[in-house]
Amino acid sequence: MNEISWNVLNNNNLTAAGRLSMALDEADAVLIGVGAGMAAADGFTYAGPRFTESFPDFIEKYCWLDMFQASVFDFETLNEEWAFFSRFVDLNYMSQPLGESYVRLNELLEGKNYHIITSNADNAFEIAGFNPDRVFDVQGKYNLLQCSQGCTQKRYNNEALMKKMIEQQNSMRVPDDLIPYCGECGAPMELNRRNHTDWMVEDEKFCLDQKLFNNFLDENINKKILLLELGCGYMAPQVIKHPFQKMTENRSNALYMTVNLKDYSMPHEIRDRLVWLQEDIKKLLSDVEKEQQFTKMKTYETEH
């Protein structure tokens, strides 16, 4: 494969918004990796008031610092565990509002050849109107249940159950009859999310989404591809960050662009095809939208 040049790499006078806009225009295909940083940019944080206002009783009892710590806590009973997770699912899926950054990203990608892989398990892409066939939820979905023992490759919608748990819980406990158990083996059910052993139930829908993702990579192997990373850190770098970097190293036609406020070490092998934008994602996407609107206006004025 012949190495493909990217004009955006040779233009150091552009703003961050200008560089992203130019890269999007140059690319024949765009692969977007979205992590927790993008959700946080829209206010969907796992710490601060959003956390403390939703779980004051649990925080008082266990002195948790954030929802990450809480979500891996070893609860004493399933009654208490589901009292927490029912509120967690409501906050981070069922009642999560529309994210402005997701709406802008959807608009910026209109008409483009793109696919998304996300480590977030919320409903941000659904509520923003993205084509579900172009979004791969590789780490699971908070609105689904799975057998904790993985005895069956099935996932079950949990939203009606979560609402009942929220309504009926008392003193940080849900009633015994609301605790979900696997209909196949009798083991407790749990949220569909990849755990610390990198395991989760992957049903037919998951496998179809994975196939669509892999098909996109195969179909665009010889095209000029932008690997755009939005808010991916090092909590689970093996999911998006490391594969994106390896893909850039192996594809001479790829450009790796990462948007993150934190400074992470980057492999030397890809530094000649790497753009790091140390920007707030929400502001950056807003600026790109404004820049493209301005460009369209100037083009219209020139033509008329």
Side-chain angles (χ1 to χ4, degrees):
M1 183 187 300
N2 294 326
E3 185 169 348
I4 295 175
S5 62
W6 288 80
N7 294 327
V8 69
L9 292 173
N10 302 317
N11 197 326
N12 297 320
N13 297 321
L14 293 171
T15 63
R19 301 188 84 183
L20 176 52
S21 182
M22 187 174 184
L24 287 170
D25 288 341
E26 276 196 78
D28 297 320
V30 185
L31 178 62
I32 305 104
V34 175
M38 180 151 173
D42 273 349
F44 309 143
T45 60
Y46 273 28
R50 189 169 180 268
F51 169 57
T52 57
E53 292 171 6
S54 299
F55 304 99
D57 44 357
F58 282 97
I59 295 171
E60 181 179 2
K61 181 176 181 179
Y62 294 116
C63 301
W64 290 334
L65 300 177
D66 55 40
M67 268 185 278
F68 287 116
Q69 181 187 18
S71 66
V72 296
F73 187 75
D74 187 13
F75 290 91
E76 296 175 0
T77 67
L78 289 173
N79 308 75
E80 193 175 59
E81 181 174 331
W82 281 111
F84 167 76
F85 276 113
S86 58
R87 285 190 242 169
F88 177 90
V89 172
D90 182 54
L91 181 65
N92 295 299
Y93 195 97
M94 296 189 297
S95 296
Q96 181 172 287
L98 180 65
E100 292 181 26
S101 298
Y102 292 86
V103 173
R104 288 198 176 99
L105 179 62
N106 197 15
E107 292 171 348
L108 292 174
L109 293 173
E110 184 177 355
K112 295 189 181 299
N113 176 26
Y114 78 90
H115 210 94
I116 293 168
I117 180 172
T118 179
S119 57
N120 300 339
D122 58 16
N123 71 341
F125 287 102
E126 296 170 36
I127 196 172
F130 280 81
N131 182 342
D133 291 339
R134 292 190 174 195
V135 180
F136 181 28
D137 301 290
V138 67
Q139 295 291 75
K141 295 290 287 182
Y142 289 147
N143 72 323
L144 299 175
L145 291 178
Q146 65 184 24
C147 173
S148 60
Q149 299 303 307
C151 78
T152 176
Q153 293 302 301
K154 294 180 181 179
R155 301 187 294 180
Y156 308 87
N157 188 281
N158 64 31
E159 295 180 50
L161 178 61
M162 296 300 104
K163 291 177 182 177
K164 288 181 180 179
M165 287 183 176
I166 293 169
E167 293 169 356
Q168 297 183 35
Q169 65 180 255
N170 184 42
S171 300
M172 298 161 55
R173 296 171 62 88
V174 302
D176 290 342
D177 62 350
L178 291 184
I179 296 174
Y181 293 93
C182 178
E184 304 288 336
C185 71
M189 301 291 278
E190 63 184 12
L191 294 187
N192 176 236
R193 55 182 185 147
R194 211 170 293 280
N195 61 24
H196 63 280
T197 63
D198 204 31
W199 170 87
M200 75 174 197
V201 168
E202 299 174 357
D203 64 3
E204 290 183 6
K205 176 63 167 63
F206 179 93
C207 292
L208 174 59
D209 291 343
Q210 187 176 51
K211 182 179 180 180
L212 291 172
F213 172 76
N214 289 328
N215 286 347
F216 175 83
L217 295 181
D218 292 340
E219 291 166 1
N220 294 285
I221 191 168
N222 294 317
K223 293 181 181 178
K224 195 172 185 178
I225 185 167
L226 170 65
L227 305 181
L228 176 60
E229 191 185 85
L230 298 171
C232 299
Y234 268 90
M235 180 167 288
Q238 75 279 6
V239 178
I240 295 175
K241 185 173 288 292
H242 288 169
F244 271 37
Q245 292 174 351
K246 196 66 179 177
M247 210 179 305
T248 304
E249 182 180 350
N250 293 335
R251 296 189 180 201
S252 60
N253 57 346
L255 172 67
Y256 175 58
M257 179 174 284
T258 179
V259 184
N260 208 306
L261 291 171
K262 295 183 179 179
D263 185 5
Y264 294 114
S265 176
M266 298 296 174
H268 287 279
E269 294 80 2
I270 65 171
R271 290 191 176 180
D272 60 336
R273 285 181 289 119
L274 180 153
V275 176
W276 171 39
L277 303 179
Q278 193 174 15
E279 300 285 330
D280 175 82
I281 294 172
K282 184 175 183 178
K283 182 179 183 303
L284 176 63
L285 294 178
S286 176
D287 290 345
V288 172
E289 184 179 57
K290 293 175 184 175
E291 177 145 335
Q292 292 195 346
Q293 289 174 348
F294 177 77
T295 301
K296 289 179 181 178
M297 182 182 69
K298 297 298 289 183
T299 301
Y300 176 84
E301 292 176 350
T302 301
E303 292 177 347
H304 295 78

